[in-house]
Amino acid sequence: MDGDRRQQFVDLHREGCFLLPNAWDAGSARVLESAGFPAIATTSAGIAFSLGRPDHDFFADHGPQARLDRTTMLDRVREIVAAVDVPVSADLEEGFGTSPEDVAATISMAVAAGAAGGNIEDFTGSRARPLHDQALAVERIRAARAAVSSSGEPFVLVGRTDALIVGGTLTDAVDRANAYLAAGADCAFVPGAADPATIGTLVRELTGPLNVVMGLTGGTLSLAALRDLGVRRVTVGGSIARAMYHHLRRAARELAEHGTFTYADTQLSQSDLNDLFRRP
């Protein structure tokens, strides 16, 4: 990705509010780009599902070997970057390792893959200790910032705390998000914040821009409402991918159980898709 596209992505975070939808492969990225979004993100969940694997979650629930490795994930990021002409931000999960050095290496690889930004989360995958100790989490963000600085490329580093979705308090989320911003994150991401009161508190108390994720709980807040609350960036996580798999499973069940084909009534035409995916 050229420096101009990376800088465009940095500039999107300076003011206002924008929607950053999440793609999982080159085709979904092209569809999102065609709708006119100024940038797109990847979804680690969608990428995992597209390869028949579970998302990064509590490891004991599905076995550590089921998780996608860093190389596979970043290969898909590289494919998505190459498929579109807009900036791409990479979902880098917890950095594919515990140590600050692991995180720094992941950020360097993401920059090399062409990403214009990326998030590092504090989720561990362990039910006994779902979040990294805050001191270590801060060092991980600091190492990520150092890797960005060493690259010399514009890059939006997002510090994500999963405090709310593992049962922590809003105070915990604010403390962690502000610590990550102070350590060098350009934007804070707090999944689990989906109501006006929680989001409003985060906007007031955070020392930097806020990213929220919609589409996970069926929330009714619109982009306009989120803009009015002061949110800077809105993502949708794996929700578009999950919606696509819902339609796939419904089609499969109709075929297997009824032998009918009504699922095809809402398909895109062959010519529409050929036109969309044909590169000039």
Side-chain angles (χ1 to χ4, degrees):
M1 178 178 292
D2 59 67
D4 287 345
R5 274 196 286 171
R6 295 182 195 268
Q7 188 59 51
Q8 289 167 11
F9 192 58
V10 171
D11 293 343
L12 282 171
H13 293 76
R14 299 196 188 283
E15 61 181 1
C17 177
F18 71 101
L19 181 57
L20 185 69
N22 301 73
W24 58 93
D25 59 12
S28 60
R30 293 290 297 278
V31 171
L32 294 173
E33 180 188 34
S34 73
F37 293 103
I40 61 174
T42 68
T43 159
S44 62
I47 292 172
F49 299 154
S50 74
L51 294 168
R53 306 282 283 278
D55 184 25
H56 173 48
D57 202 340
F58 291 107
F59 298 152
D61 292 353
H62 49 63
Q65 299 307 311
R67 185 190 176 193
L68 287 189
D69 62 272
R70 178 168 61 185
T71 298
T72 301
M73 188 68 75
L74 285 167
D75 282 349
R76 181 62 64 85
V77 170
R78 187 176 292 105
E79 291 172 6
I80 291 171
V81 169
V84 296
D85 294 323
V86 296
V88 176
S89 185
D91 180 350
L92 301 174
E93 300 184 339
E94 91 309 1
F96 295 93
T98 298
S99 73
E101 292 78 15
D102 290 331
V103 173
T106 297
I107 291 292
S108 296
M109 293 172 67
V111 173
N119 57 278
I120 296 295
E121 63 195 46
D122 53 14
F123 179 68
T124 66
S126 168
R127 289 192 183 276
R129 185 178 55 86
L131 300 181
H132 289 295
D133 292 338
Q134 187 166 324
L136 173 60
V138 167
E139 287 304 313
R140 286 156 43 86
I141 295 297
R142 190 169 288 122
R145 171 48 61 191
V148 171
S149 298
S150 295
S151 76
E153 295 284 356
F155 187 93
V156 176
L157 175 63
V158 178
R160 167 175 159 166
T161 178
D162 283 19
L164 292 182
I165 61 177
V166 300
T169 67
L170 182 54
T171 298
D172 295 333
V174 169
D175 288 347
R176 281 179 172 266
N178 276 335
Y180 304 160
L181 289 164
D186 300 297
C187 182
F189 179 14
V190 187
D195 63 275
T198 299
I199 293 171
T201 298
L202 288 169
V203 169
R204 288 192 303 273
E205 297 194 15
L206 294 187
T207 59
L210 172 66
N211 180 106
V212 297
V213 59
M214 294 287 109
L216 303 186
T217 59
T220 59
L221 288 175
S222 66
L223 182 62
L226 292 166
R227 180 182 295 112
D228 289 343
L229 286 167
V231 171
R232 182 61 46 83
R233 191 174 97 165
V234 181
T235 50
V236 296
S239 62
I240 301 176
R242 289 192 298 273
M244 293 285 290
Y245 279 103
H246 167 75
H247 291 296
L248 173 61
R249 186 169 68 174
R250 186 170 64 182
R253 287 177 173 174
E254 179 185 353
L255 290 169
E257 296 171 10
H258 304 288
T260 56
F261 312 95
T262 64
Y263 73 89
D265 292 344
T266 57
Q267 66 181 298
L268 289 174
S269 73
Q270 184 85 358
S271 60
D272 283 346
L273 286 170
N274 281 342
D275 289 343
L276 177 63
F277 295 143
R278 187 177 294 116
R279 299 292 282 189

